[in-house]
Amino acid sequence: MNRRTFLMAGSLAAMAAAAEKRNIRAGIMYETIKLPGSVLDKFRAVHDAGFDGIEPMSHMEVAEVTDAFKTTGLAAASVCCATHWEKPLSDPSASVRAEGLRGLERALRDAKAYGATSVLLVPSVVKKDVSYTDAYRRSQAEIRKALPLAQELGVKIACENVWNYFLMSPLEAARYIDEFESPAIGWHFDVGNVVNYGWPEQWIRILGKRIQKLHIKEYSRSMRDKTGPYSGFEVKFLQGDNDWPAVMRALDDIGYTGWGIAEQPGADSLEGLKELRAGMAKIFAS
């Protein structure tokens, strides 16, 4: 064995050992589950496919969702706020922002009821009539109003990187979170949403311990180039441009443990769910 082969073998062995030690639980976003049936039917299918948990939407029927968690033994990976797009915390209207704040507070209470430790929040939406500066200022002001409740409940607000023309770099995202000076807020990192314009592993290392949860999502730049940016999401796990080994190494470097939550097409049958779960297993072992 020459020196290069020896070093390569050692590197592969180290990567394999790191993969075995990773403590990342597999969840799925409820909104992506397209099987017919009741909430309990969908939870059962997710359980049978081998997932550990589900990320429900807020504003669902709490008793029904709680019963589904209890019956299946699945855990609440997170709760996704259901109002942040229609009632953004950056809206020019004070009454709309107030509705958005009430929506976030409801999401925090739902998360507490289900045993989730964080709420996914799209913090702001920049538009032609909503300037970047106003979106930054307004959203921080509204989130600050919810921080005491988040601290009281022991549920963190986790802002997500999405295509909202806001917080377009990891340095800015880190600054936005740090300015709250509160342990009750962090980041919900969506891997696939970054691939269109950046490299997820760079975001992960900069955001570091601010990351509370992960959305596991694939993205194809070649599909984007052929048929438009949103078509980039229409690929299966491991068939896009995500450099999953680099992503996993970055997560290892920051000591991430917790949930990896699928937000991915294909959850329209039990077989589709099983395929998603198998893809996640390969990703986590990258």
Side-chain angles (χ1 to χ4, degrees):
M1 181 183 293
N2 61 34
R3 183 173 183 276
R4 181 180 179 185
T5 303
F6 175 79
L7 291 174
M8 185 177 295
S11 177
L12 290 172
M15 289 172 62
E20 288 180 6
K21 293 179 181 177
R22 287 181 188 131
N23 181 18
I24 301 180
R25 303 177 72 188
I28 187 168
M29 189 180 190
Y30 182 84
E31 194 74 353
T32 67
I33 304 168
K34 304 304 180 184
L35 283 79
S38 66
V39 170
L40 181 56
D41 291 335
K42 294 178 181 181
F43 272 56
R44 281 177 170 151
V46 168
H47 173 272
D48 292 346
F51 285 88
D52 303 304
I54 287 182
E55 177 183 60
M57 302 300 293
S58 68
H59 296 69
M60 295 175 69
E61 179 56 52
V62 173
E64 184 178 17
V65 175
T66 302
D67 179 68
F69 275 123
K70 183 178 180 180
T71 300
T72 60
L74 292 169
S78 163
V79 167
C80 180
C81 182
T83 59
H84 50 211
W85 286 110
E86 292 186 3
K87 309 292 182 183
L89 300 178
S90 53
D91 197 90
S93 167
S95 63
V96 172
R97 295 198 302 275
E99 289 184 69
L101 176 59
R102 287 193 293 272
L104 172 57
E105 291 170 342
R106 165 69 189 269
L108 288 166
R109 292 189 175 96
D110 287 353
K112 180 66 173 179
Y114 304 145
T117 58
S118 66
V119 164
L120 185 162
L121 175 71
V122 174
S124 187
V125 182
V126 175
K127 302 178 181 178
K128 184 174 176 59
D129 63 342
V130 178
S131 74
Y132 207 108
T133 300
D134 285 341
Y136 201 103
R137 175 180 55 81
R138 290 171 185 159
S139 62
Q140 283 196 333
E142 298 301 329
I143 290 171
R144 283 193 176 96
K145 296 174 186 177
L147 287 175
L149 178 62
Q151 287 183 291
E152 175 189 333
L153 297 174
V155 176
K156 292 193 177 186
I157 299 168
C159 298
E160 187 186 28
N161 52 293
V162 295
W163 290 5
N164 55 349
Y165 303 103
F166 187 63
L167 304 179
M168 303 290 285
S169 84
L171 292 170
E172 187 182 17
R175 170 188 154 186
Y176 181 84
I177 296 301
D178 292 349
E179 285 175 347
F180 288 100
E181 298 182 338
S182 170
I185 188 166
W187 200 262
H188 190 118
F189 184 65
D190 189 305
V191 177
N193 283 349
V194 170
V195 178
N196 182 40
Y197 53 84
W199 291 268
E201 59 272 21
Q202 296 179 10
W203 279 67
I204 290 167
R205 289 193 172 92
I206 290 170
L207 289 172
K209 295 296 185 181
R210 300 174 188 85
I211 297 176
Q212 303 300 309
K213 304 286 166 65
L214 301 170
H215 265 176
I216 306 298
K217 184 191 295 179
E218 193 69 54
Y219 191 81
S220 167
R221 297 188 186 104
S222 60
M223 287 288 291
R224 171 201 66 189
D225 294 344
K226 290 177 182 176
T227 50
Y230 283 95
S231 67
F233 295 117
E234 297 172 5
V235 289
K236 294 182 177 182
F237 279 142
L238 304 167
Q239 294 183 11
D241 289 297
N242 301 42
D243 185 348
W244 290 113
V247 168
M248 298 312 297
R249 286 195 298 274
L251 291 170
D252 291 340
D253 288 346
I254 68 167
Y256 180 80
T257 61
W259 288 99
I261 303 164
E263 185 188 2
Q264 181 79 9
D268 51 5
S269 66
L270 178 58
E271 289 307 311
L273 285 166
K274 288 180 178 179
E275 184 176 348
L276 288 174
R277 182 65 185 90
M280 293 178 79
K282 292 177 181 178
I283 287 168
F284 295 161
S286 296

